Amino acid sequence: MLKSLGAKTLAFPAPAWAVGTYDENGKPNAMLAAWAGLCCSKPPCVSVSLRSATYSHHAVIAQKAFTVNIPSEEFVKEADYLGMASGRDEDKFAKAGLSTIPSELVYAPIITDFPMVLECKLVHTVEVGLHTLFVGEIQDVKVQEELLDLNGHLDTDKLKPVVFGPGSRHYYGIGKFLGKAFSIGDEIRKK
């Protein structure tokens, strides 16, 4: 029997994405965001929701761009720190030992230590209660070459992305391979 838990943010899993921005002085910053996801395939877009109180919120609006840097399990501590500190108060990259380079396509930093990045141009801003939902059109996806399979596709097992459990406030790795999408359901469809 299903038990009601009330209206809560308990969608699983949530990504653990580091949203990269430049402030008004060109200083790179990043914050960890879990209220995020893919939101359109054509044009390719992602959404991230940030509270207006965050330093990154103002930078996304000012620069009309951001990067989505996807940490691997190896960098879970550094990613968590990015969500705990404010770029207003300290240089998060120096303290975490992370490096950045500028994106060539949008005015936002790329965290070179993380294995994957989406470079996004801001196309929509929607106020949703406590958060602002930013929709970014993906200009390019860059990934460390060794994470690609023989067909040039991203291998999730090699990427080892971090996901967030909103209720427990825990980080997790991705579980085992279950089957090929749009294929394993054929057995039921053919009945």
Side-chain angles (χ1 to χ4, degrees):
M1 177 168 190
L2 295 176
K3 177 182 170 69
S4 174
L5 299 177
K8 297 181 180 183
T9 53
L10 293 179
F12 289 92
W17 287 351
V19 177
T21 57
Y22 285 122
D23 71 9
E24 65 276 0
N25 299 314
K27 176 184 154 193
N29 185 49
M31 70 167 284
L32 201 63
W35 294 179
L38 295 170
C39 62
C40 187
S41 54
K42 193 168 187 175
C45 292
V46 294
S47 65
V48 295
S49 293
L50 308 178
R51 288 180 300 109
S52 63
T54 65
Y55 196 52
S56 295
H57 179 282
H58 302 290
V60 171
I61 291 172
Q63 308 308 342
K64 308 252 183 285
F66 58 93
T67 54
V68 171
N69 299 269
I70 301 175
S72 63
E73 293 175 6
E74 175 185 358
F75 290 98
V76 68
K77 287 179 188 173
E78 291 84 350
D80 186 48
Y81 164 74
L82 293 176
M84 297 169 63
S86 173
R88 270 187 203 99
D89 306 322
E90 56 192 272
D91 181 342
K92 292 197 233 180
F93 295 112
K95 192 159 186 180
L98 296 172
S99 300
T100 67
I101 59 170
S103 163
E104 295 175 2
L105 301 175
V106 299
Y107 188 60
I110 292 172
I111 302 173
T112 58
D113 306 278
F114 292 0
M116 184 173 175
V117 63
L118 289 71
E119 297 164 284
C120 303
K121 173 180 71 171
L122 181 65
V123 291
H124 296 290
T125 302
V126 181
E127 298 300 324
V128 185
L130 185 62
H131 288 71
T132 303
L133 180 120
F134 296 113
V135 176
E137 183 177 338
I138 300 168
Q139 304 299 294
D140 194 19
V141 176
K142 291 179 173 59
V143 63
Q144 291 175 353
E145 201 169 344
E146 62 271 14
L147 302 180
L148 301 177
D149 66 17
L150 296 175
N151 297 315
H153 298 116
L154 180 64
D155 185 329
T156 304
D157 289 332
K158 291 179 182 176
L159 176 64
K160 297 183 187 298
V162 177
V163 295
F164 176 70
S168 65
R169 299 181 75 166
H170 294 160
Y171 295 111
Y172 299 90
I174 298 290
K176 66 181 179 179
F177 173 76
L178 299 177
K180 186 173 164 89
F182 306 105
S183 177
I184 61 175
D186 271 347
E187 183 181 323
I188 297 169
R189 187 175 65 149
K190 292 178 181 177
K191 283 186 183 181

